[in-house]
């Protein structure tokens, strides 16, 4: 079989990556999808069980920090395009230990850029770098992040992602590498590791454990269903302009406390609990250091130029998400056994 493209998706065993791999493997049978993942605590091949035997799917366990491994994979599969998601992705972990974030997010990204530059001497290629809105810093009560908003990262995580975005742009200007960048707001959906707000709260509500809200719970995030993020990446990868950035977001701002209360009410209904029962689990804990106040995305560029918009409301997406966690207790049990217990103790034991 000759493949129309050999697309390397990095971080394909993670939360967003697994949704993207699934979308591409099923929608584009004429592309071969090579999923490269180190399988850190956040990577899980169970996320891809339903597509792992497809002819156009291959998995390669590798570390983007190791350039030799990347060269071998580019060579073996004649990689034509890259969609780069592999990263350390959790702000709280970056506060505890920034160096892992520098290695994977900065050094790993520069390795990939260099290998792509050296391998792609001719033909048509795309290097799509998947990034976050957190590179723009923190908003006050008004305003939205636009593609032209100056970078102002404040956490070690966002500083590492901002640095990787700068390198991607530098490779476009300096070496003409055909790059595209997307900066997305907070994602939620199935298969998200329960260190992030929504799956952590769902899991704790189910288990009747305290619901740790940082500070007063008045920080604001703009939430997008992960499947809509994957669809936006698909649009940008195929139709976006080389050298440009696209913001992706849901125009869906929620204060953390309101969101957690909404989840409590939804789960009270689903679990047949008394109304208000789960809300009693809410516990205000010590705030995150350097906690960004508000993120909100202006997604008008991708809407106007590429015709993308979210396909579900937040209420619909959250219901699908909660149902998935309730139906997949084995998944949650597996990822929260072992190391997760140590992580949870370390991060939350001294917070209240
Ligand atoms: P995740 O933590 O769930 O998954 C990251 C994946 O990368 C895991 O499968 C992990 O094993 C892999 N990985 C980590 N280090 C690696 C290395 N050195 N080599 C190879 N693979 C490695 O993250 P996610 O939430 O799915 O985020 C994916 C990407 O999207 C990241 O680049 C993140 O910055 C970006 N992003 C995330 C969000 C969000 O809300 N989660 C929003 C915007 C952008
Ligand atoms: P998170 O899911 O870690 O995403 P990010 O920090 O990248 O936006 O956190 C979302 C918001 O929820 C953020 O304002 C921090 C807050 N939060 C809590 O209040 N308690 C928690 O246990 C966690 C993990 C997050």
């Amino acid at each position: 079989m000759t493949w129309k493209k050999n697309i390397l998706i990095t971080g394909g065993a993670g939360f967003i990556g697994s949704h993207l791999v699934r979308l591409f493997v099923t929608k584009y049978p004429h592309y071969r999808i090579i999923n490269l993942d180190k399988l850190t605590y956040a990577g899980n091949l169970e996320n891809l069980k339903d597509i792992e035997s497809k002819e156009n799917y291959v998995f390669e366990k590798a570390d983007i920090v190791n350039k030799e491994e990347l060269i071998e994979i580019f060579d073996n599969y004649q990689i034509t395009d890259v969609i780069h998601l592999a990263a350390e992705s959790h702000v709280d972990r970056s506060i505890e230990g920034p160096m892992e974030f520098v290695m994977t997010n900065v050094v790993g990204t520069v390795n990939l850029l260099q290998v792509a530059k050296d391998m792609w001497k001719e033909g048509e290629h795309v290097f799509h770098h998947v990034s976050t809105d957190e590179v723009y810093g923190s908003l006050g009560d008004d305003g939205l992040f636009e593609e032209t908003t100056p970078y102002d990262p404040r956490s070690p995580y966002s500083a590492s992602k901002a640095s990787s975005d700068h390198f991607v742009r530098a490779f476009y200007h300096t070496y003409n590498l055909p790059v595209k960048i997307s900066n997305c707001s907070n994602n939620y959906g199935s298969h998200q590791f329960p260190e992030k707000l929504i799956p952590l709260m769902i899991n704790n509500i189910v288990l009747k454990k305290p619901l740790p809200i940082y500070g007063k719970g008045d920080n604001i995030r703009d939430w997008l269903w992960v499947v809509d993020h994957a669809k936006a990446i698909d649009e940008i990868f195929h139709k976006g302009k080389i050298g440009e950035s696209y913001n992706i977001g849901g125009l869906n701002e929620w204060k953390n406390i309101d969101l957690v209360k909404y989840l409590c009410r939804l789960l009270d209904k689903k679990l047949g609990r008394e109304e208000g029962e789960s809300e009693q689990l809410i516990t205000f804990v010590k705030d995150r250091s350097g906690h960004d106040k508000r993120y909100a995305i202006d997604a008008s560029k991708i809407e106007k130029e590429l015709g993308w918009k979210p396909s579900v409301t937040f209420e619909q997406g959250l219901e699908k998400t909660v149902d998935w966690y309730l139906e997949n207790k084995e998944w949650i049990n597996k990822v929260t056994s072992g190391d997760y217990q140590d992580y949870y103790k370390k991060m939350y034991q001294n917070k209240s």
Side-chain angles (χ1 to χ4, degrees), residues 89-92 134 157 186 195-198 200-201 212-214 219-221 223 256 288 291-292 295 348:
S89 69
H90 190 42
V91 173
D92 292 326
E134 301 187 27
Y157 164 66
N186 287 61
E195 63 187 355
K196 306 270 173 28
L197 181 73
I198 290 182
L200 185 138
M201 293 298 165
I213 308 267
Y214 298 166
N219 300 69
I220 293 173
R221 297 292 182 264
W223 294 95
N256 292 339
R288 173 187 279 172
H291 196 170
D292 287 342
Y295 302 145
Y348 291 95

Side-chain angles (χ1 to χ4, degrees), residues 11 13-17 36-40 42-43 62-64 85-87 89 104 130-132 157 161 184-187:
F15 165 49
I16 302 169
L36 181 165
D37 200 295
K38 182 182 170 186
L39 299 182
T40 67
D63 184 343
I64 56 170
L85 294 96
S89 69
T104 289
V130 175
S131 192
T132 166
Y157 164 66
K161 291 297 290 188
C184 189
S185 63
N186 287 61
N187 284 214

Side-chain angles (χ1 to χ4, degrees), residues 125-126 128 178-181 232-246 301-302 305-306:
H125 307 284
V126 171
H128 181 149
V179 309
K180 301 180 183 186
I181 299 178
I233 294 172
D234 181 10
E235 293 297 329
I236 296 165
F237 175 77
H238 284 101
K239 298 194 260 158
K241 292 194 193 110
I242 297 289
E244 299 224 350
S245 284
Y246 293 85
K301 177 175 174 180
I302 184 175
E305 289 187 16
L306 306 181

